[in-house]
Amino acid sequence: MFFLDQINWTSLDSWIVLTGALIAMACALPGIFLILNRNSMIGDGISHAILPGIALAFLLTGSRDWFVILLGAATAGIITIALTRLIQNFGQVESGAALGVVFCSLFALGLILIRVASDHVDLNPDCVLHGSIETAVVDFRKVPLVTTQSAIMLLVNLALTLLFYKELRISAFDPSLAATLGFHPELMRYCLTTLTSITAVMAFEAVGSILVIAMLIVPGATALLLTHKLHWALLLTLLFAALSGILGHVLAIWGLPQFFNQLISSIEFSSASTSGMIATTAGILFMIALGIVKIRQCLNL
């Protein structure tokens, strides 16, 4: 194809696009329920606060085994929520302030531990913070391991969403009714937190702990701008997440360098970070959706 030839598209680019789309969709599924539960900042807090869990798992075991990492991250995620509730209830502070205290403290502790761990284990702190999807897909296997893991995470999140659709929907929209029906909304919240922690860890290698929040929250927020029906919102969330992954890489290797080369001809710009452009693309799609909503409101459509 002419377009692909023009940007020198390789099989590595195809794996990056596929992996980015799978990760974005896997993150977006628990993310939309965080938004519906009015716990969007929980996603931000978890993505930062699970760092000490990962670092401690490395330091205690000296292993990069995925099960050890997931266990450390999930434990840190649950501790984050428990500490937030504890400070909120006993300190009589509002939830945002309690979360800010907990996740900033744990994130700072995580940064210290990550630096310590990097001296003993083959661990790149910059990769943990910002991700590197371009190098993550470089693998001797027929299908890169990160792509397989992302696909499995998406299937698990999709299966759990479909299996507990009724419970998640009632817990999000009417916690009192959920408690009356015996759904235990607090337990659902902890399960959602654990699933978010595990998903965030799976996305770390590709998009890092800082940018993963964009994957968790922005596609769901974009979908909820356009519809209030949950089943349509879920479908739109997956669509916007996949578009972010696909367009993000294309813009990183072609669109952004072309734009800056046209703007500043004296400097030759090369490709940009795909992880950063995936997050930026998600933000652009949100702004487009917001514009559509505002136009519809102005025209009374």
Side-chain angles (χ1 to χ4, degrees):
M1 294 175 66
F2 174 75
F3 175 74
L4 299 183
D5 291 339
Q6 191 182 24
I7 61 176
N8 195 24
W9 191 270
T10 66
S11 61
L12 203 59
D13 293 302
S14 300
W15 286 121
I16 292 172
V17 163
L18 178 61
T19 306
L22 289 172
I23 288 174
M25 288 190 289
C27 290
L29 281 175
I32 190 170
F33 287 102
L34 288 176
I35 298 171
L36 291 172
N37 281 292
R38 295 181 175 82
N39 284 326
S40 302
M41 286 303 294
I42 291 285
D44 191 20
I46 289 172
S47 66
H48 289 70
I50 58 179
L51 269 183
I54 295 173
L56 279 174
F58 278 129
L59 287 171
L60 293 176
T61 65
S63 169
R64 293 178 60 181
D65 185 81
W66 65 272
F67 179 75
V68 173
I69 300 170
L70 290 183
L71 191 61
T75 305
I78 293 172
I79 290 174
T80 301
I81 302 303
L83 282 177
T84 303
R85 301 272 183 223
L86 190 68
I87 292 174
Q88 186 180 353
N89 293 335
F90 287 93
Q92 300 295 310
V93 297
E94 58 103 7
S95 60
L99 182 61
V101 170
V102 173
F103 97 72
C104 287
S105 303
L106 290 179
F107 184 55
L109 177 63
L111 288 176
I112 295 169
L113 291 176
I114 285 287
R115 288 293 173 189
V116 173
S118 66
D119 293 334
H120 303 279
V121 188
D122 181 19
L123 177 67
N124 186 345
D126 290 334
C127 182
V128 173
L129 292 176
H130 310 118
S132 179
I133 194 170
E134 296 90 342
T135 55
V137 298
V138 178
D139 201 326
F140 63 89
R141 299 172 181 82
K142 192 173 181 181
V143 178
L145 180 61
V146 68
T147 309
T148 306
Q149 290 174 335
S150 305
I152 292 172
M153 197 69 243
L154 173 61
L155 289 175
V156 168
N157 287 355
L158 195 57
L160 290 175
T161 301
L162 295 174
L163 192 61
F164 295 103
Y165 180 78
K166 183 172 72 175
E167 289 83 353
L168 287 167
R169 186 182 61 176
I170 296 176
S171 298
F173 291 109
D174 194 340
S176 300
L177 178 60
T180 305
L181 294 174
F183 289 161
H184 304 289
E186 196 64 22
L187 177 62
M188 295 293 295
R189 197 167 292 122
Y190 275 102
C191 291
L192 184 61
T193 302
T194 305
L195 187 64
T196 305
S197 302
I198 294 171
T199 306
V201 172
M202 299 298 288
F204 264 24
E205 192 173 4
V207 295
S209 67
I210 295 176
L211 295 178
V212 72
I213 183 63
M215 301 295 96
L216 284 169
I217 300 302
V218 182
T222 308
L224 290 171
L225 275 176
L226 300 174
T227 181
H228 295 297
K229 294 186 177 180
L230 185 54
H231 58 284
W232 282 115
L234 284 171
L235 289 174
L236 286 175
T237 298
L238 292 174
L239 175 65
F240 288 131
L243 281 176
S244 300
I246 296 168
L247 295 177
H249 183 60
V250 174
L251 289 172
I253 64 171
W254 180 75
L256 199 65
Q258 284 285 324
F259 173 76
F260 280 111
N261 285 331
Q262 294 289 332
L263 189 68
I264 310 172
S265 57
S266 59
I267 302 175
E268 183 71 23
F269 288 91
S270 58
S271 60
S273 161
T274 294
S275 306
M277 278 311 300
I278 290 175
T280 304
T281 305
I284 292 171
L285 291 174
F286 177 86
M287 295 306 295
I288 292 172
L290 183 61
I292 292 172
V293 170
K294 290 300 176 187
I295 291 171
R296 282 168 52 187
Q297 288 176 348
C298 290
L299 297 176
N300 292 322
L301 294 177

